[in-house]
Amino acid sequence: MGEARSDTRRDAVAVLRCAVTARGWGSLVRFLCVDSRQLGPAYDRAVLPLVHRTVPDAEERSRIHATLLSTGVKVGFALWGYASMARVPFDAELAVLGSSFTRLYDDLVDHGDREGLDRDLASLFAGQPFAPHSRLEELLLLLHDAIAVRLPHPPDDPVHPLLRELHTFQLRSRAQRDPRLPLPEVLEITRGKGGLGMVALLSLLRPGMSAAERALLTELGYVFQLLDDLHDLPLDRADGLTTSAGLHAFSLSDLATRIRHLRARFRAHYGTAAPLTAHLALTLVGALLALHRRPARPDRPYRRPRAGALPLLLSRAGNIRPGTRTGPLP
């Protein structure tokens, strides 16, 4: 008991030190107060019409809207931070389209059971025709096409093989339903999903990304995925998923050390580490709070997350699950 209390205290001190020494808190405040306001209208313009077009049930549409908007704020902050650090233009509509596609794609892979879906999604990433079989698959295709229209990647862009590799890791992640999955394999899947997923999203802002930058951003995505596992620990346990957090692969002190190392690598590559350093530190603080948050009760009625960037940034985005209200196309 005393040792566990000591570890908790050590983690809390490490999180506090990481937050205090982080750079970019001013940028974080600017995002929350000013730049995040781009995301809501961008979502309403680019994503919400597609949700209304494909999901006729009002209650289910409201759930999907809340999930995609919450994800859009979280991912939008990461893309905005990257754009500021890498000195590339930030496109709010691309941010919400990319985040919505990623959220829906993840949930279709994790919770969809249609025969042939894995093959069809692989075809989509290979530039081949994709015929949707459900309303959610139709929404996914519309999001994909909207991204392609705004940002056509040339055939030789490194993002194409990266997306196919990412799809392989997404399919492998189903093995995390096995409680006997060994830790090295869990971490390999976590790095593949988180790291490649981050590179794919940030490639929306910088097509033709160099190999050196892809390697650095893969590590960034891995750390974010480890933090996300901590945020989602109660939900993942309820779903029977084996994750890095459930196996206690890293303490908060370990993650604080990884964030400090990333900060140094950011400065070496970009000349600055802000504001992504503040984003990582805030997510680390959120992970500490999440470990002491009571798990959500499945019998409680659905509640839309509170409005505002900060509540959405710290909320759990939730999942989009196929069901009767988003069933087969007529």
Side-chain angles (χ1 to χ4, degrees), residues 30-280:
R30 175 186 162 195
F31 172 81
L32 294 175
C33 297
V34 180
D35 295 276
S36 65
R37 295 178 183 176
Q38 301 179 48
L39 294 172
Y43 176 90
D44 290 345
R45 291 192 304 269
V47 178
L48 191 57
L50 306 183
V51 176
H52 278 273
R53 177 175 167 184
T54 53
V55 183
D57 184 86
E59 183 178 353
E60 190 63 20
R61 193 165 59 235
S62 178
R63 289 177 183 271
I64 291 173
H65 165 69
T67 296
L68 295 184
L69 182 57
S70 177
T71 303
V73 171
K74 293 171 183 288
V75 174
F77 183 29
L79 268 69
W80 179 85
Y82 169 75
S84 301
M85 186 173 67
R87 298 176 178 86
V88 296
F90 174 67
D91 187 324
E93 290 192 13
L94 265 180
V96 294
L97 284 167
S99 66
S100 297
F101 178 87
T102 300
R103 173 76 275 162
L104 182 55
Y105 163 73
D106 285 351
D107 288 335
L108 281 173
V109 170
D110 290 343
H111 306 295
D113 57 2
R114 174 174 74 79
E115 184 178 356
L117 176 61
D118 297 349
R119 180 188 63 249
D120 291 347
L121 289 173
S123 298
L124 179 66
F125 293 133
Q128 299 171 4
F130 175 83
H133 289 220
S134 71
R135 297 186 186 279
L136 290 183
E137 290 180 26
E138 182 182 31
L139 176 57
L140 185 79
L141 179 61
L142 291 175
L143 291 167
H144 174 275
D145 290 349
I147 294 170
V149 167
R150 291 186 63 91
L151 186 71
H153 285 78
D156 60 346
D157 193 292
V159 75
H160 296 300
L162 182 143
L163 287 173
R164 292 191 287 271
E165 186 180 4
L166 173 60
H167 183 56
T168 299
F169 275 105
Q170 289 284 359
L171 299 184
R172 285 182 59 188
S173 71
R174 291 173 180 159
Q176 291 180 259
R177 297 169 185 167
D178 183 353
R180 299 164 300 177
L181 190 67
L183 178 58
E185 188 168 352
V186 171
L187 294 181
E188 184 182 353
I189 293 170
T190 303
R191 175 178 286 277
K193 284 180 56 178
L196 296 176
M198 179 63 71
V199 175
L201 281 168
L202 298 184
S203 292
L204 294 174
L205 303 183
R206 192 189 314 259
M209 188 179 291
S210 70
E213 188 173 18
R214 289 200 305 272
L216 174 55
L217 297 178
T218 296
E219 184 64 22
L220 170 66
Y222 181 42
V223 173
F224 266 125
Q225 186 64 55
L226 294 173
L227 290 167
D228 191 58
D229 286 348
L230 285 171
H231 279 260
D232 291 343
L233 180 58
L235 297 176
D236 290 337
R237 278 178 171 165
D239 287 339
L241 297 179
T242 304
T243 67
S244 62
L247 295 177
H248 307 288
F250 297 99
S251 67
L252 290 173
S253 299
D254 296 330
L255 292 173
T257 300
R258 284 177 172 263
I259 290 172
R260 288 198 302 272
H261 291 164
L262 266 175
R263 184 172 61 204
R265 292 181 65 185
F266 287 154
R267 281 199 299 263
H269 189 89
Y270 299 107
T272 179
L276 275 181
T277 299
H279 188 184
L280 285 163

Side-chain angles (χ1 to χ4, degrees), residues 59 63 235 238 294-303:
E59 183 178 353
R63 289 177 183 271
L235 297 176
R294 287 188 299 176
R297 285 172 44 188
D299 58 327
R300 286 186 176 176
Y302 164 73
R303 289 183 180 179

